[in-house]
Amino acid sequence: MNPDLRKEREAATFNTELLTHILDGGSERTRRRREIESLVIGDPDFCHEDANFLSRSERYEAAVKKSALMIMKMREYGISDPDEIYYYKCIANGSHPEAIGLHFVMFLPTLKSLCTPAQMDKWLPLALSFQVIGTYAQTEMGHGTHIRALETTATFDPATQEFVLNSPTVSSIKWWPGGLGKTSNHAIVLAQLYTQGQCHGLHAFIVPIRAMGTHEPLPGVVVGDIGPKFGFDEIDNGFLKLENVRIPRENMLMKYAKVEPDGRYIKPPSDKLTYGTMVFIRSMVVGESAKAISKACTIAIRYSTVRRQSELRPGEPEPQILDYQTQQFKLLPLLATAYAFHFVGQYMRQTYLRITGDINLGDFSELPELHALSAGLKAFTTWVASAGIEVCRMSCGGHGYSHCSSLPGIYVNFTPTCTYEGENTVMMLQTARYLLKSYTQASAGQKVSGMVSYLNEMSQQRLQPQQVSARSTSVNLKDLSSLVEAYKIRASKLVELAAKSLQTELQLMKTKEDAWNHCSIDLVRASDAHCHFVIVKLFCSKLAEVEDTAVHSALYSLAHLYALHGVYQNTGDFLQAGLLTVPQLTQVTQQLKELLSQIRPNSVALVDAFDYRDEMLNSVLGRYDGNVYDNMFEWARKSPLNQTEVHNSFYKYLKPLQSKL
Ligand SMILES: CCCCCCCC/C=C\CCCCCCCCCCCCCCCC(=O)SCCNC(=O)CCNC(=O)[C@H](O)C(C)(C)COP(=O)(O)OP(=O)(O)OC[C@H]1O[C@@H](n2cnc3c(N)ncnc32)[C@H](O)[C@@H]1OP(=O)(O)O
Ligand SMILES: Cc1cc2nc3c(=O)[nH]c(=O)nc-3n(C[C@H](O)[C@H](O)[C@H](O)COP(=O)(O)OP(=O)(O)OC[C@H]3O[C@@H](n4cnc5c(N)ncnc54)[C@H](O)[C@@H]3O)c2cc1C
């Protein structure tokens, strides 16, 4: 064990294990998670070559092999609970995406949410036994965001009781679906439904694309891989062109919308139910943001205590780089963010399960809140985490740029979350739509509920003007509950500002849509402030559940840092809302510095509490034992370029060049 890391751990003021239990949701869950993780770590079948040294094709093959192995092993161990499957996969996949991930995260959930009982009886056993391997094919070359404009058609032919699927243009070719290129034999295809000469909008269809058994593309199906990308090397994101592909009527997912044998169309209770799987993934991605940023922080913080550089005091040994205030300022707010997102991820997951439970019972009343919250929090957390991973990488200096740190891999595999499952700006605008609707309702005296209920207070204040002395004064920077209140007021002011901006634009005789576009910066800003408030509030509420005083105190400092750092980054908003005064600005920095000093001694324990095994981080810089340099040398020696002392290119190009000049 590196002595610096040992000292850090010995100096921690709280019991790391207790905090791990809180993160997991109880000691029993920690025990079971570790038990499952050990099944992977102790398994020689999962000891494989470092993926960094493989070609893309080799990486894809290794990932498919791993997926197949995981399925077999989980069956053998009787692991079937979704959370347990998730633990197992997290350790086996590390920071890499899973080759048949789309089958699990989108194909199966779409079947579960949109199949009739009869369809479920047919497709679920096939999908669970992997006779059917599926993907989710929605995005086309021409449209990803504006899905109402998708061009793929599914036309009902009552004579044969079939739908005929077509990609009528080049831009309508399905593009991007994961696992489509080579792995899947079926796709859930989102297409415009035509029946009795009328278009009824987007609906989901199960389309066989490859023959079961031979895996050859079926007639009329043109399918393949879209080529190398920024990351996602393990995934065969694919294209799909459909040329008069016929599927039985029963292959339209008909839990809500239906086409009768005579071609009559039966409307669903809400046309947004087709979008359910996207809401599911957005809700779950919030927790993925926490995971990505907590891994990056673990690597960067452990390395920053092992790495010694430069001179702090003349004549003294080089300090640990984490002792530089600037290094703390880069990393500790991100550590606080990781904790905040973890708790928000848990909340989002519970909220998703609760509201979809109600939806399954026919109560759709909270669907708009779920959509707005999942869209906004998905965008907010993935943006912050993505930028944060880059900060972590750069905070490791040159070694952060090496794949041995794992940070480049974490970044390239995480950053597409800002784009997929709804491009982030577009998602923020969806949240804004809900905020403005809620604002209008609250302004009209109607009560709004859920996370936007603070808008009721704003309208009450307008109806009953308060005495000057009773109005909100500036924030108390040392008090977390005062900061939560400040975030709430900031959010309500920015929602109001966006609403007024929209009204102004509307008065300029623009169309509603033009007016919306002309104030969309204000709208995104309002959504951002709303999400920020939700996160600060949820982090703060979590503290009330923590009984152990030492752990509570460590978490309180983190929550305080998270909230205060947000004020520092958005001083303009807080000044504009009258929540902060100019003289307070220096206090914000002063208070931040105090918090950095308070958290610094616990920083290693705080990342240890995430409990990532080395096998999961796969980072030389982030090793638990801190033995970075020996292992970095060993890792580099494995580079394929080092397989021979003299590389082929010397004989082919350099030697002839030397002989010519
Ligand atoms: C089965 C459940 C099991 C539960 C088990 C739980 C336990 C699990 C444990 C572990 C699981 C771990 C899972 C981990 C998952 C990690 C994921 C990581 C890997 C994932 C890899 C994924 C790859 C990516 C896949 C994709 O990208 S698929 C393609 C995604 N595409 C998009 O997202 C497109 C974005 N565009 C849109 O969504 C829409 O076009 C739009 C922008 C929203 C606009 O839509 P539209 O034009 O139709 O609407 P508007 O006119 O703008 O609005 C009309 C009204 O409708 C409302 N609206 C819009 N969308 C929705 C919605 N989805 N739901 C509800 N309401 C919606 C809108 O607000 C408007 O309302 P109004 O009242 O204002 O009129
Ligand atoms: C790694 C990866 C995996 C994917 N996997 C799948 C999959 O499995 N299945 C699938 O169907 N799809 C998948 N996708 C596609 C993905 O869902 C889309 O790329 C995504 O929805 C964004 O759509 P787009 O590419 O059309 O972006 P665009 O909409 O073209 O976005 C480009 C820019 O335009 C802006 N913009 C667009 N519309 C608006 C608006 N209304 N207001 C303001 N700004 C706007 C955006 O903010 C953005 O800055 C995947 C993508 C990636 C990168």
Side-chain angles (χ1 to χ4, degrees), residues 472-479 482-483 486 564 567-568 571 574-592:
S472 63
T473 50
S474 57
V475 58
N476 177 354
L477 299 170
K478 290 184 190 272
D479 177 25
S482 171
L483 282 163
L564 204 66
V567 173
Y568 177 88
T571 42
F574 288 91
L575 284 169
Q576 196 178 3
L579 294 160
L580 201 64
T581 59
V582 174
Q584 273 185 307
L585 292 180
T586 40
Q587 287 171 31
V588 172
T589 321
Q590 196 47 43
Q591 185 69 32
L592 272 177

Side-chain angles (χ1 to χ4, degrees), residues 82-83 86 101-102 105-106 108-110 112-113 136 138-139 144-148 177-178 232 237 270-273 275-276 278-282 284-285 288 349 352-353 356 367-368 370-372 417 419-423 426-427 430 433-434 437:
D83 283 333
Y86 184 63
L102 255 285
V105 301
M106 294 202 80
L108 277 169
T110 309
K112 286 181 185 163
S113 62
Y136 183 85
Q138 179 173 289
T139 306
T145 289
H146 186 40
I147 52 184
R148 272 184 290 139
F232 263 50
N237 294 88
S270 156
D271 58 352
K272 299 303 170 224
L273 291 167
Y275 298 176
M278 292 187 276
V279 175
F280 165 60
I281 299 289
R282 287 171 198 152
M284 299 300 153
V285 161
E288 294 302 299
R349 186 174 172 282
Y352 172 82
L353 291 174
T356 46
L367 178 59
L370 177 63
H371 166 53
T417 55
T419 308
Y420 67 54
E421 228 45 91
E423 197 282 326
V426 176
M427 291 298 99
Q430 284 289 312
R433 207 174 149 122
Y434 181 70
K437 237 182 166 174

Side-chain angles (χ1 to χ4, degrees), residues 77-105:
Y77 299 134
I79 295 174
S80 58
D81 173 82
D83 283 333
E84 299 200 344
I85 293 175
Y86 184 63
Y87 294 154
Y88 190 91
K89 287 181 172 186
C90 278
I91 190 96
N93 291 325
S95 300
H96 300 283
E98 186 187 344
I100 57 173
L102 255 285
H103 178 84
F104 291 102
V105 301

Side-chain angles (χ1 to χ4, degrees), residues 138-180:
Q138 179 173 289
T139 306
E140 297 172 358
M141 202 189 284
H143 292 94
T145 289
H146 186 40
I147 52 184
R148 272 184 290 139
L150 293 179
E151 298 173 86
T152 306
T153 55
T155 309
F156 185 58
D157 178 357
T160 59
Q161 292 291 299
E162 288 172 320
F163 287 101
V164 188
L165 280 103
N166 269 300
S167 312
T169 57
V170 175
S171 55
S172 73
I173 296 172
K174 294 289 179 190
W175 205 265
W176 276 113
L180 172 65

Side-chain angles (χ1 to χ4, degrees), residues 588-620:
V588 172
T589 321
Q590 196 47 43
Q591 185 69 32
L592 272 177
K593 288 179 189 168
E594 279 171 32
L595 283 167
L596 294 179
S597 307
Q598 233 174 66
I599 295 168
R600 161 68 186 90
N602 275 333
S603 42
V604 167
L606 284 164
V607 295
D608 283 351
F610 293 131
D611 203 21
Y612 290 123
R613 307 273 295 247
D614 280 349
E615 292 78 359
M616 215 163 160
L617 292 178
N618 196 27
S619 166
V620 173

